[in-house]
Amino acid sequence: MTDTPQTSIPQDGAAAGAAAVSASLAELEKAQRREIDTPSSQCLRFGPDQALPLDAGGTLANWQIAYETYGTLNADRSNAILICHALTGDQYVASRNPVTGKPGWWTMLVGPGKPVDTDRFFVICANVLGGCMGTTGPASTNPETGQPYALTMPVVTIRDMVRAQARLVDHLGIETLFAVVGGSMGGMQVLQWAALFPERVFSAVPIATGARHSSQNIAFHEVGRQAVMADPDWRGGSYLADGTRPSKGLAVARMAAHITYMSDMSLHQKFGRNLQDREALTFGFDADFQIESYLRHQGMTFVDRFDANSYLYVTRAMDYFDLAAEHDGVLSKAFLHTPTRFCVMSFTSDWLFPTSESKAVVRALNAAAANVSFVEIDSDRGHDAFLLDEPEMFRTVRGFLTGAAAARGIAGPGGA
């Protein structure tokens, strides 16, 4: 989920220009493919004797998890913060993405002197299970066949993702995380961490998220999945083995999803009904409006950094998430007697994960007698606000981590 600036491709450009664009996209595709099995980041590999149990049944053997770290782990290993990424994110939270060349997706929050201060904290961010940036997912090569897993990989859940991250944290020798922080699907992982491993999470910051996926959100995801599967090049999920890619279907899925990340106000302010590179309507089906051109750009750039089957798997993991269902339908039971301190945040214009979802989590935490604070941030930027320049969010995270660090007996974030 990113707010990517619009770029315009000249309609009357020379053939050489079109060829250059095609070559550039081909290079992006090659780079993305390389990252699937041999990521540029750090990568921890597990053999058959370290198989990962999955909620769908059975285990995943010979799997790997790709991750980045920032800062220094202190002597007693008490200053580690785990950042959990959202649906289309990756481990490059505060470092250059090797495929796109763009800066990390949360550099406004994570870095030296930032609220998640890498001068004070040891920050970990891992690509989720089912992803396509180095952690085992449907695009990964199945060592038993030498072919991509495709749909032969079991469906994964948020809980599976968290179990995989716990293996990484174990490997790093960290018994208790100082904090787990994430927004959207990352926030789901934060809540799952706190429920599954309460003694291992000193503090938790779930942002713009909920304890389950709503029927509306499941519906939007299904539209996206059907767009991918309707593309003739999807080939029943075996497109990589066949040398094809369902680019058109995945682009449409991304376009539909991106609308849900913004608010009506932000769309109006950014685009209105402004025309794209023209003075009058064409009375055709080209991109007359700037918003149409913007969405097409979003779809086109997305397919060159993300795998279509991974999109199916990760959206399904979000759909299956229902923390209360694991506890007899009572959400407060998920947090009963928890020692974790929480800071829950929502945004006023977020209609994908509205404030009511965060308040339901807060009520459950209160019923469980948990230590919890809640902030609703006034923003007109929709769900994507958690990734953008929102000073109140930064102040809240900094203040919460400062207090939690004092309680933990470690140095809090520096800077102003």
Side-chain angles (χ1 to χ4, degrees):
M1 303 178 183
T2 53
D3 191 59
T4 306
Q6 181 185 14
T7 59
S8 183
I9 299 175
Q11 300 299 312
D12 57 350
V21 170
S22 178
S24 176
L25 294 178
E27 286 303 312
L28 275 175
E29 180 180 344
K30 289 179 183 177
Q32 196 274 333
R33 183 61 196 156
R34 287 194 298 269
E35 293 298 319
I36 291 172
D37 287 326
T38 55
S40 302
S41 66
Q42 300 177 74
C43 186
L44 182 61
R45 294 175 172 86
F46 295 88
D49 59 331
Q50 299 168 301
L52 184 72
L54 300 175
D55 284 346
T59 59
L60 184 65
N62 297 304
W63 63 284
Q64 64 185 45
I65 184 167
Y67 66 101
E68 285 278 82
T69 62
Y70 312 85
T72 304
L73 190 62
N74 62 11
D76 59 0
R77 302 177 182 269
S78 60
N79 70 332
I81 294 180
L82 177 68
I83 302 290
C84 301
H85 71 72
L87 171 61
T88 63
D90 50 50
Q91 64 269 42
Y92 300 100
V93 61
S95 51
R96 186 188 65 83
N97 185 295
V99 176
T100 66
K102 293 180 179 179
W105 51 268
W106 225 358
T107 52
M108 284 183 283
L109 185 76
V110 181
K114 302 292 177 66
V116 180
D117 189 350
T118 52
D119 287 336
R120 305 291 180 85
F121 305 122
F122 178 66
V123 177
I124 311 157
C125 186
N127 188 216
V128 296
L129 191 69
C132 54
M133 285 294 285
T135 297
T136 300
S140 303
T141 301
N142 182 342
E144 294 183 1
T145 65
Q147 295 293 321
Y149 279 101
L151 299 194
T152 65
M153 181 173 171
V155 169
V156 300
T157 65
I158 299 295
R159 185 162 50 186
D160 293 332
M161 294 174 183
V162 167
R163 289 196 193 101
Q165 292 162 2
R167 294 284 189 92
L168 169 61
V169 172
D170 290 341
H171 170 78
L172 295 173
I174 298 166
E175 184 176 342
T176 302
L177 292 162
F178 166 61
V180 184
V181 182
S184 192
M185 188 186 83
M188 290 179 170
Q189 295 165 64
V190 172
L191 294 174
Q192 185 68 77
W193 257 101
L196 194 59
F197 302 111
E199 300 296 333
R200 302 193 67 178
V201 180
F202 186 79
S203 61
V205 186
I207 307 171
T209 193
R212 65 175 183 175
H213 222 203
S214 70
S215 58
Q216 175 178 264
N217 290 349
I218 294 171
F220 278 117
H221 277 174
E222 177 62 5
V223 169
R225 287 190 294 265
Q226 288 298 321
V228 171
M229 293 188 286
D231 189 318
D233 286 331
W234 184 60
R235 308 288 177 89
S238 298
Y239 51 89
L240 290 176
D242 290 351
T244 63
R245 295 179 72 197
S247 297
K248 292 180 180 179
L250 183 59
V252 171
R254 174 63 172 180
M255 290 168 67
H258 196 77
I259 296 168
T260 71
Y261 306 153
M262 304 179 75
S263 69
D264 180 59
M265 179 63 71
S266 65
L267 285 169
H268 177 74
Q269 290 176 343
K270 192 177 182 74
F271 305 108
R273 289 179 55 83
N274 297 327
L275 298 182
Q276 173 68 25
D277 296 333
R278 64 204 64 193
E279 296 181 356
L281 300 174
T282 64
F283 293 97
F285 297 101
D286 195 6
D288 276 358
F289 297 98
Q290 286 182 2
I291 180 59
E292 294 174 312
S293 178
Y294 172 76
L295 288 175
R296 292 183 186 189
H297 172 74
Q298 285 290 320
M300 180 180 69
T301 56
F302 181 64
V303 301
D304 295 302
R305 70 173 182 87
F306 211 84
D307 174 67
N309 281 340
S310 279
Y311 192 82
L312 304 185
Y313 274 70
V314 180
T315 57
R316 203 52 164 165
M318 292 184 72
D319 291 349
Y320 282 165
F321 184 64
D322 184 352
L323 200 53
E326 303 172 22
H327 301 275
D328 304 318
V330 182
L331 185 56
S332 60
K333 288 185 178 180
F335 307 110
L336 200 60
H337 308 305
T338 180
T340 305
R341 55 186 63 209
F342 294 82
C343 178
V344 181
M345 276 186 277
S346 69
F347 297 91
T348 53
S349 59
D350 185 351
W351 57 277
L352 191 65
F353 286 96
T355 292
S356 58
E357 298 282 339
S358 290
K359 285 184 175 179
V361 172
V362 173
R363 284 194 299 270
L365 288 167
N366 283 329
N371 183 332
V372 57
S373 58
F374 168 66
V375 176
E376 181 184 30
I377 297 170
D378 188 12
S379 170
D380 62 6
R381 302 165 93 172
H383 182 64
D384 255 1
F386 81 94
L387 293 172
L388 305 177
D389 186 5
E390 290 290 347
E392 187 178 353
M393 179 182 73
F394 303 149
R395 287 193 297 269
T396 300
V397 173
R398 182 184 295 276
F400 175 74
L401 293 181
T402 298
R408 180 79 162 166
I410 61 175

